[in-house]
Amino acid sequence: MGDICILNFNHTYENQDFYKKKDYKIIDLYDLKNVSRYCDEKTLNIIRKKLYDIENYKIKFIDSGNYHYISYLILEKIKKPFVLVLFDHHTDMQPSYFEELMSCGCWVKKTLDDNEYIEKVVLIGNKEELINSVEEKYKSKIICFSEEYIKDNYKWEEFSLNIDKPIYISIDKDVLNNYESKTDWDQGSLTLEELKKIYINICANHTIIGIDICGDSAVNNDLFSENNTINNKSNKKILDIIAEEESIYESNNI
């Protein structure tokens, strides 16, 4: 399995170096039109074909949160029961404004509708008001830890013992404060240190079958250059967190 797969939607990562000492692959998607935030089924199928071997890379960097719906396509490739752990300031479970389109705001809902192998979704760092707006029929499938709840110093290691399936991790950096990450959406207040604590305690005793990260700043943002420098640092830190968790997992299973 390779280390990292980089999805090149709009050249965001070209001036970042967090991945360049790793075994990485770049998949070019910048020639696709009308894929930011929303994507029609025809274009979604084109992307599916381009991602034919993405499961061979444990860590996927997806670019801006505008493309978070790519996680839906990655999860399609999992053919055994699993739990999705989502770090995100939004639930991504909103009804699509256009039923025929996939969007960055509805991909979790569509995954629960379409993916027969997903058993639970653990939502971490969402706004309380968005959690409350989740449709009733999905509530038995989700476990929620709002941004406000996290500040109560919950014992994550105890919670993690209740997860008995392999875990797929999806991180949208809009869950972080805007000092340590710069996104194109409203952001939460988690620090990278808090993300690390939660991540390691949830994952330390479980098999992680894949990870994706999004939430970089799009190149058309007026502050892109400044944002990119900050995001390069946060991406590197997230890779360090993943490596530390892997080391702990290996030590616990010797």
Side-chain angles (χ1 to χ4, degrees), residues 73-104:
L73 300 180
I74 298 170
L75 296 178
E76 284 182 334
K77 296 179 176 292
I78 301 173
K79 301 303 180 184
K80 59 184 177 182
F82 70 97
V83 171
L84 169 64
V85 175
L86 173 64
F87 292 84
D88 201 313
H89 197 46
H90 311 86
T91 64
D92 292 354
M93 292 188 66
Q94 301 300 310
S96 179
Y97 289 114
F98 308 99
E99 190 60 35
E100 70 278 12
L101 299 181
M102 174 66 77
S103 81
C104 59

Side-chain angles (χ1 to χ4, degrees), residues 153-180:
N153 198 27
Y154 188 79
K155 294 183 178 179
W156 297 100
E157 64 275 14
E158 293 181 10
F159 160 72
S160 72
L161 297 175
N162 295 318
I163 300 176
D164 60 357
K165 295 292 186 295
I167 291 174
Y168 185 92
I169 304 282
S170 185
I171 300 172
D172 189 330
K173 294 193 297 180
D174 68 16
V175 78
L176 298 169
N177 66 77
N178 60 11
Y179 298 102
E180 295 183 288

Side-chain angles (χ1 to χ4, degrees), residues 11-52:
H11 307 289
T12 298
Y13 297 116
E14 290 180 3
N15 294 313
Q16 296 189 29
D17 63 3
F18 68 91
Y19 59 92
K20 292 185 176 177
K21 292 183 180 180
K22 307 287 185 179
D23 173 17
Y24 69 90
K25 174 182 180 177
I26 294 177
I27 298 177
D28 285 326
L29 300 163
Y30 56 80
D31 57 335
L32 298 176
K33 306 298 183 185
N34 302 317
V35 293
S36 180
R37 300 192 183 191
Y38 294 94
C39 186
D40 63 31
E41 188 62 31
K42 180 180 178 180
T43 309
L44 210 59
N45 281 329
I46 293 172
I47 298 173
R48 276 191 180 95
K49 292 176 182 178
K50 288 179 177 285
L51 303 184
Y52 69 94

Side-chain angles (χ1 to χ4, degrees), residues 1 30 66 90 102 165 167-168 181 190-191 194 198 211:
M1 177 178 283
Y30 56 80
N66 292 353
H90 311 86
M102 174 66 77
K165 295 292 186 295
I167 291 174
Y168 185 92
S181 181
L190 259 68
T191 65
E194 287 172 324
I198 297 168
I211 304 159

Side-chain angles (χ1 to χ4, degrees), residues 203-205 243-254:
C203 301
N205 297 307
E244 183 172 338
E245 184 280 321
E246 288 175 341
S247 176
I248 293 171
Y249 181 86
E250 290 172 2
S251 297
N252 290 342
N253 288 276
I254 293 176

Side-chain angles (χ1 to χ4, degrees), residues 46-203:
I46 293 172
I47 298 173
R48 276 191 180 95
K49 292 176 182 178
K50 288 179 177 285
L51 303 184
Y52 69 94
D53 69 342
I54 198 169
E55 70 270 25
N56 295 326
Y57 294 84
K58 184 171 184 179
I59 305 169
K60 281 74 71 173
F61 279 85
I62 296 177
D63 205 304
S64 162
N66 292 353
Y67 308 103
H68 205 170
Y69 63 83
I70 294 297
S71 299
Y72 173 92
L73 300 180
I74 298 170
L75 296 178
E76 284 182 334
K77 296 179 176 292
I78 301 173
K79 301 303 180 184
K80 59 184 177 182
F82 70 97
V83 171
L84 169 64
V85 175
L86 173 64
F87 292 84
D88 201 313
H89 197 46
H90 311 86
T91 64
D92 292 354
M93 292 188 66
Q94 301 300 310
S96 179
Y97 289 114
F98 308 99
E99 190 60 35
E100 70 278 12
L101 299 181
M102 174 66 77
S103 81
C104 59
C106 73
W107 70 270
V108 175
K109 175 181 178 295
K110 284 186 175 290
T111 298
L112 286 170
D113 288 338
D114 301 340
N115 192 311
E116 64 180 296
Y117 295 103
I118 190 166
E119 297 213 342
K120 290 280 185 182
V121 178
V122 182
L123 300 172
I124 299 175
N126 307 148
K127 295 179 183 177
E128 190 78 51
E129 63 189 82
L130 291 179
I131 291 173
N132 293 336
S133 71
V134 171
E135 293 177 62
E136 191 65 35
K137 67 179 181 178
Y138 296 107
K139 290 188 176 177
S140 64
K141 283 280 195 176
I142 63 174
I143 303 170
C144 305
F145 297 94
S146 70
E147 178 182 23
E148 296 85 354
Y149 188 84
I150 288 170
K151 298 301 181 179
D152 290 337
N153 198 27
Y154 188 79
K155 294 183 178 179
W156 297 100
E157 64 275 14
E158 293 181 10
F159 160 72
S160 72
L161 297 175
N162 295 318
I163 300 176
D164 60 357
K165 295 292 186 295
I167 291 174
Y168 185 92
I169 304 282
S170 185
I171 300 172
D172 189 330
K173 294 193 297 180
D174 68 16
V175 78
L176 298 169
N177 66 77
N178 60 11
Y179 298 102
E180 295 183 288
S181 181
K182 296 290 186 179
T183 79
D184 299 319
W185 297 84
D186 63 300
Q187 292 185 224
S189 60
L190 259 68
T191 65
L192 280 164
E193 193 60 33
E194 287 172 324
L195 175 66
K196 173 181 175 179
K197 177 181 178 182
I198 297 168
Y199 183 96
I200 288 178
N201 279 311
I202 283 183
C203 301

